[in-house]
Amino acid sequence: MSTIRSRIHLAITTGLGMFLLAGINLPPTPALAKVHEVSMTAIETDIVIDGSGEKYAAWTFNGTVPGPVVRVTEGDTVKFTLTNPATNKNPHAMDFHAAEIDFLKNYRAINAGETISFTFVAKKPGIFYYHCGAPPMIQHIARGMFGAIIVDPKNAKVWPKADREYVLVQSELFKNPDDVQAMFDRKFDNVIFNGGIFKYHPFVTGGGKLDAKPGERVRIYFVNAGPNEFSSFHPIGEIWDNVYESGNPANKLTGVQTYVVGPGSAATFDVVVESAGAYPIVTHSLTGALRGAIAVLVASPDAKPAPLMPMVPWELPAK
Ligand SMILES: [Cu+2]
C-alpha cells in the first residue's frame, strides 16, 4: 500500500523578494501550495480477505482494498485522473469528500475503456473518505472501491505532533459480491478494517498488529466506508486523548471513550498509550467487532516504525 506522492508543478510565489531586498522585518516563510497529480485505475480483481487465504471478487482502486492513501496539505491542488480499463466489465467513478466541486460533472461514472479527470483544491484540513459512486453505489462500495485522503493542516503546530500514524478504514463485507439485495438488507457477513477479517489481530491465524511504543502519541486516521453500518470507535484499555471530527484540528474533543463515526464520515483519533501492553481498537457495536473489526495496538519498547496502512503478508499483489 503506497502513499501517493506528488510532483511539484507550481509554487505560489510571494512578495518575499521585496522583503529580502529591504533586509528587515522578514515574514515567516509561507507554506507553498503544491499541485499533486493523482492517478488511479479501477481494477476488478480478487483480493485476500483473511489469514487463511480466502479470496473475494473485489472491485478496487489500484488493486487493493482500501485503495491507496492520498496525502496532501491544506491549500494544495489535486489533479485527479481515473482510468477504467477496457478489460473491466463495469462503469466506475470517483467521489472525493475532500473536494468541493460539481458532482454531476466530476463524479459521473465512466464506462470501461474511458478516463475522466478533474481538479480540486483541498481547502479544508482533515481525514476524508473517497469512493466510487457508480450505480448501484452500495455494491461498488461493498466490493471495495473506497479509501482515505489525508489533508494535513497547513500549520503543523495547530495540533500536537504525532509520534506514529495509522490509517484504518472500516467497511462491511458481503461474501456474495453479487447479492445486492443482501447489501440493501444489511446482511453483512463481516465488518473489517483495511479490507481484512481480523487483519490486525495477532491471536487469529495470519493476523498482524499495529505497533507503538509506550508513551507515544498514536494518531489514527479513521474512515467509515460503510456502506451502511455506524462505527462506535473505542480503544479497549485506553481512552482517546483527543478526537478531531472529520480530522479537522479545529474540531477537538478531549478524553473520549467511544466516538461514533457514521458511514461516509471520518475522524482522527489520538491516543497516548500509557504503558506496554495490548490495546484492541474496535467498533463497540459488537456484531461488527466480533465479526472482524478488531485491530490490536501492541505497545512495546522495541516497536519498529510502520507504514500508514500496514498490509499483513496475506495481501495479493496488485495486477
Ligand atoms: Cu466502481
Side-chain angles (χ1 to χ4, degrees), residues 7 33 106 128 143 154 165 181 195 197 207 233 236 256-257:
R7 286 194 295 143
N106 299 293
F128 295 94
R143 289 183 76 150
K154 193 186 293 184
E165 299 177 308
Q181 190 59 48
I197 302 166
F233 203 56
I236 298 178
V256 178
Q257 61 192 297

Side-chain angles (χ1 to χ4, degrees), residues 18-123:
M18 290 179 63
F19 287 93
L20 286 172
L21 286 173
I24 52 170
N25 294 332
L26 277 175
T29 305
L32 299 178
K34 298 176 182 173
V35 175
H36 304 256
E37 287 198 353
V38 176
S39 297
M40 291 193 203
T41 303
I43 300 179
E44 299 168 356
T45 187
D46 289 352
I47 62 162
V48 174
I49 53 169
D50 69 15
S52 76
E54 183 175 347
K55 291 178 185 171
Y56 178 78
W59 296 341
T60 74
F61 291 110
N62 284 13
T64 61
V65 177
V69 176
V70 180
R71 190 165 203 174
V72 302
T73 299
E74 176 187 359
D76 287 355
T77 295
V78 176
K79 296 176 79 171
F80 177 74
T81 298
L82 175 67
T83 299
N84 189 0
T87 48
N88 278 348
K89 294 184 172 62
N90 299 278
H92 295 293
M94 174 59 93
D95 174 337
F96 274 107
H97 284 200
E100 296 168 273
I101 52 175
D102 176 43
F103 145 77
L104 281 176
K105 177 179 162 202
N106 299 293
Y107 296 168
R108 65 185 171 83
I110 56 168
N111 292 318
E114 296 179 344
T115 66
I116 188 172
S117 297
F118 57 83
T119 298
F120 66 92
V121 177
K123 294 177 187 167

Side-chain angles (χ1 to χ4, degrees), residues 75-313:
D76 287 355
T77 295
V78 176
K79 296 176 79 171
F80 177 74
T81 298
L82 175 67
T83 299
N84 189 0
T87 48
N88 278 348
K89 294 184 172 62
N90 299 278
H92 295 293
M94 174 59 93
D95 174 337
F96 274 107
H97 284 200
E100 296 168 273
I101 52 175
D102 176 43
F103 145 77
L104 281 176
K105 177 179 162 202
N106 299 293
Y107 296 168
R108 65 185 171 83
I110 56 168
N111 292 318
E114 296 179 344
T115 66
I116 188 172
S117 297
F118 57 83
T119 298
F120 66 92
V121 177
K123 294 177 187 167
K124 295 181 173 67
I127 173 71
F128 295 94
Y129 184 36
Y130 72 70
H131 62 90
C132 178
M137 186 163 76
I138 197 168
Q139 184 185 25
H140 284 252
I141 290 172
R143 289 183 76 150
M145 298 196 79
F146 53 76
I149 172 170
I150 300 169
V151 182
D152 287 316
K154 193 186 293 184
N155 177 5
K157 293 194 169 66
V158 75
W159 59 1
K161 185 179 184 309
D163 300 302
R164 193 176 287 264
E165 299 177 308
Y166 291 113
V167 174
L168 285 179
V169 183
Q170 176 178 319
S171 64
E172 298 113 67
L173 178 68
F174 301 81
K175 285 207 168 164
N176 180 349
D178 297 313
D179 190 351
V180 177
Q181 190 59 48
M183 297 165 190
F184 276 98
D185 293 342
R186 300 173 181 257
K187 291 181 177 169
F188 58 83
D189 294 288
N190 301 90
V191 176
I192 55 181
F193 291 147
N194 291 353
I197 302 166
F198 295 120
K199 186 173 199 165
Y200 306 121
H201 195 319
F203 301 154
V204 172
T205 302
K209 60 186 167 51
L210 301 177
D211 293 302
K213 291 180 180 177
E216 282 188 329
R217 175 174 288 265
V218 180
R219 179 160 292 157
I220 297 173
Y221 301 93
F222 179 74
V223 172
N224 184 358
N228 302 311
E229 301 305 312
F230 284 66
S231 182
S232 195
F233 203 56
H234 171 71
I236 298 178
E238 262 295 350
I239 296 170
W240 300 121
D241 288 80
N242 299 110
V243 177
Y244 301 90
E245 172 60 45
S246 283
N248 189 320
N251 304 334
K252 180 181 174 182
L253 299 174
T254 302
V256 178
Q257 61 192 297
T258 300
Y259 188 77
V260 175
V261 179
S265 193
T268 296
F269 295 80
D270 279 10
V271 61
V272 179
V273 285
E274 306 290 324
S275 53
Y279 304 91
I281 295 167
V282 302
T283 171
H284 219 299
S285 174
L286 292 177
T287 190
L290 300 176
R291 291 179 175 185
I294 298 175
V296 183
L297 181 68
V298 177
S300 158
D302 57 0
K304 304 276 190 302
L308 268 179
M309 191 181 282
M311 304 305 282
V312 291

